[in-house]
Amino acid sequence: MQSISLLPNSSNVDSNTGSKSEPLRAQFWSRFALTELNHSEWEALCDGCGSCCLIKYIDEDENGNVDEELVEYTDVTCQLMDCATGYCSHYATRQEYVPDCIQLTMDNLPNMMWLPSHCAYKRLYKGQSLPSWHLLLTQDAVVTQHEMRAANVGVAGRCVSETSMSDEEMETRVINWINP
């Protein structure tokens, strides 16, 4: 499971890392390669959908390659997910609670094509544009949330926690509202 934060807060200190935030350059997502982004810009790409935190079934071939068409998402999420809001309850310290939580980086992104098709990281990596509803484009969180819901994007209100759930029960909770 992996968790990625939303846009950094507006102060000079990033609440997720405790470090000083770097400024977002104008239209950085279209002007710079992913490898050229600063930490704040990288974090700002996240749309906050929470899909990456859902438990999924990923089959790898003998070379470790994943056929993204065969990835199956469940509606079961990491124990840290607040299913009402769709946000991680302990983002900054999540690996203390969930040691195998994956930190999405430019180095591991090429091996994570199981991310949903609307994911800004995946889209930019593949040379595609941001979804029209992305906060970086709308500049309005309310509009973005409304358009994400209209596009059937996000786990808020439609996920359940992995807490006290058996592996057998999880296997019955495969969903089809996320496309890798």
Side-chain angles (χ1 to χ4, degrees):
M1 293 171 288
Q2 108 183 358
S3 180
I4 305 168
S5 75
L6 279 176
L7 287 172
N9 62 18
S10 58
S11 72
N12 284 342
V13 176
D14 186 324
S15 63
N16 293 323
T17 65
S19 63
K20 191 166 177 113
S21 294
E22 300 162 285
L24 300 180
R25 296 172 288 183
Q27 296 188 324
F28 65 88
W29 61 92
S30 63
R31 297 178 44 228
F32 300 98
L34 289 171
T35 56
E36 299 174 308
L37 303 184
N38 66 42
H39 177 75
S40 296
E41 291 166 342
W42 181 263
E43 292 290 318
L45 290 177
C46 178
D47 61 22
C49 74
S51 299
C52 54
C53 299
L54 292 173
I55 294 173
K56 56 203 77 60
Y57 297 105
I58 302 173
D59 290 325
E60 295 179 345
D61 66 17
E62 61 277 353
N63 298 322
N65 298 317
V66 174
D67 180 348
E68 54 190 89
E69 298 296 320
L70 300 178
V71 174
E72 294 182 308
Y73 279 81
T74 69
D75 66 351
V76 181
T77 190
C78 167
Q79 62 185 326
L80 299 181
M81 177 65 72
D82 178 332
C83 287
T85 65
Y87 300 125
C88 180
S89 61
H90 294 285
Y91 181 79
T93 58
R94 68 194 183 281
Q95 291 179 316
E96 292 175 23
Y97 299 93
V98 182
D100 64 344
C101 180
I102 298 169
Q103 174 67 42
L104 179 62
T105 66
M106 188 56 219
D107 290 337
N108 63 14
L109 178 59
N111 298 319
M112 299 176 72
M113 291 299 105
W114 47 260
L115 289 165
S117 59
H118 65 267
C119 176
Y121 299 98
K122 179 178 178 176
R123 292 179 64 84
L124 293 176
Y125 179 79
K126 289 184 156 192
Q128 300 169 344
S129 61
L130 293 176
S132 62
W133 44 258
H134 198 286
L135 183 57
L136 291 169
L137 299 176
T138 69
Q139 297 292 304
D140 185 324
V142 173
V143 168
T144 292
Q145 288 298 317
H146 176 75
E147 290 184 15
M148 283 177 71
R149 284 190 191 100
N152 204 25
V153 172
V155 302
R158 54 186 187 169
C159 62
V160 295
S161 176
E162 69 180 335
T163 307
S164 302
M165 188 170 296
S166 70
D167 289 342
E168 293 78 23
E169 186 178 355
M170 276 188 231
E171 290 176 9
T172 69
R173 302 194 65 99
V174 171
I175 56 168
N176 63 7
W177 43 267
I178 296 181
N179 298 312

